[in-house]
Amino acid sequence: MPAKNPVHVDAALSNLIVEEGVGDQFAYEAVFPDYPVQKKSDEFFKLIREEIRQDIPTKRSARDAALEWTWEIELDAYTCHLHKMKSPVSEDEKQNADPALHMDEITAFKTKHKIRVDLEKEARAILTDVSYSGTTIINKWDDYTTPPNVFGDILAAHKAFRKQFGRNPNMIFFEPTVASTLLNSREFIDRLKYIKDNLVSDNEMPSRLLGMKTFIPQTVSNAANPVSTDSIDDIWNTDSVFLLYVNQSQNPAFGEASFGYNIVWKKYGAQGWKVKRWNKPDPETEFILVGHYHEFKITASHALYVLRDTLT
């Protein structure tokens, strides 16, 4: 009996899948910017509030000593966890497939997508935790018996955020049901006409709203078993709106205030992603495994404010 081929890392495919899904509307990528690390686990200092909260006069006479100020920092730790999934590709499928299909690449891309969907669910569980600051909307945005005040509610949340964090939020994140409801709201559309031209025909949110970058996730999940009828729904399927401050620089650092980071163990593979392959002789099949080491780490819980129960 022939020996089974050993498991090996496919470096080329590992690098290739990094680009898979670039531009997809995954919320975890918008809310938790990647922060590559050298170690699988370690400790770090994090900035938990903006230093502008400390209002200390700086004007001093030449004889007076300068006043001191301190950062509000604390020690924290992270441990990157492994997400992995494998998929078989039979030799018959590979030999009979159209060369343009690139079975290996497609299998790796689709396997990575499965992992990303799981990461999205993990991020959703974090943001929908009821312990974060926020408010429940009393005058629902889809109840027109009393005209809703959508912009007033958002401005009030904006003010509350600034008071608790010391900086304006730079992102507003609408769950899909809320976004579609607002785009069907005459009051909301009329206000947006002054922000973006042709909004009604585009049927989309402006890229920025009240100085904040707008984000609407587009990810869905199928809860059905493979042999059952599809049960597809948005992963973000409630009626909340999130105001956040997210470090949007190209080189994020723990010293920069941000709601959180996606800590990625970069030694595992390209941006934390790795593809492994091995063969099974009977039936003749190749397995492709995609793995990813990461941890979502909240570094400034005050950089999130939630508008809850916005709809009836």
Side-chain angles (χ1 to χ4, degrees), residues 8-17 270 273-277:
H8 68 281
V9 175
D10 189 322
L13 202 50
S14 296
N15 288 315
L16 188 62
I17 68 166
W273 292 94
K274 182 181 289 185
V275 177
K276 295 182 179 181
R277 309 166 74 140

Side-chain angles (χ1 to χ4, degrees), residues 140-293:
K140 307 302 183 186
W141 293 352
D142 59 345
D143 182 0
Y144 300 103
T145 55
T146 303
N149 186 11
V150 176
F151 276 87
D153 291 335
I154 294 175
L155 284 169
H158 190 285
K159 182 178 180 180
F161 183 103
R162 185 172 66 250
K163 284 188 173 182
Q164 75 177 22
F165 185 60
R167 182 180 287 189
N168 289 332
N170 63 358
M171 178 183 292
I172 184 166
F173 168 3
F174 296 91
E175 293 201 76
T177 302
V178 181
S180 61
T181 299
L182 292 181
L183 289 173
N184 196 39
S185 163
R186 176 57 57 189
E187 183 265 348
F188 189 74
I189 291 296
D190 286 345
R191 292 290 297 270
L192 286 182
K193 287 178 179 177
Y194 298 98
I195 300 175
K196 181 181 178 184
D197 295 334
N198 302 319
L199 178 71
V200 177
S201 60
D202 289 345
N203 194 32
E204 63 180 19
M205 288 283 189
S207 59
R208 301 189 68 82
L209 185 65
L210 302 175
M212 299 174 286
K213 178 181 177 181
T214 58
F215 182 83
I216 305 169
Q218 303 296 329
T219 48
V220 298
S221 177
N222 191 345
N225 294 321
V227 295
S228 302
T229 304
D230 286 337
S231 177
I232 299 175
D233 194 7
D234 289 305
I235 291 176
W236 299 87
N237 58 2
T238 59
D239 53 3
S240 296
V241 176
F242 307 89
L243 280 70
L244 305 106
Y245 187 87
V246 177
N247 182 4
Q248 298 175 347
S249 69
Q250 295 298 314
N251 298 298
F254 285 135
E256 290 292 327
S258 187
F259 171 70
Y261 292 99
N262 181 25
I263 302 178
V264 177
W265 187 27
K266 67 180 183 179
K267 283 197 171 183
Y268 179 72
Q271 294 188 22
W273 292 94
K274 182 181 289 185
V275 177
K276 295 182 179 181
R277 309 166 74 140
W278 67 93
N279 293 330
K280 180 181 175 182
D282 187 19
E284 196 169 1
T285 305
E286 180 180 42
F287 281 88
I288 293 179
L289 180 145
V290 177
H292 180 61
Y293 266 103

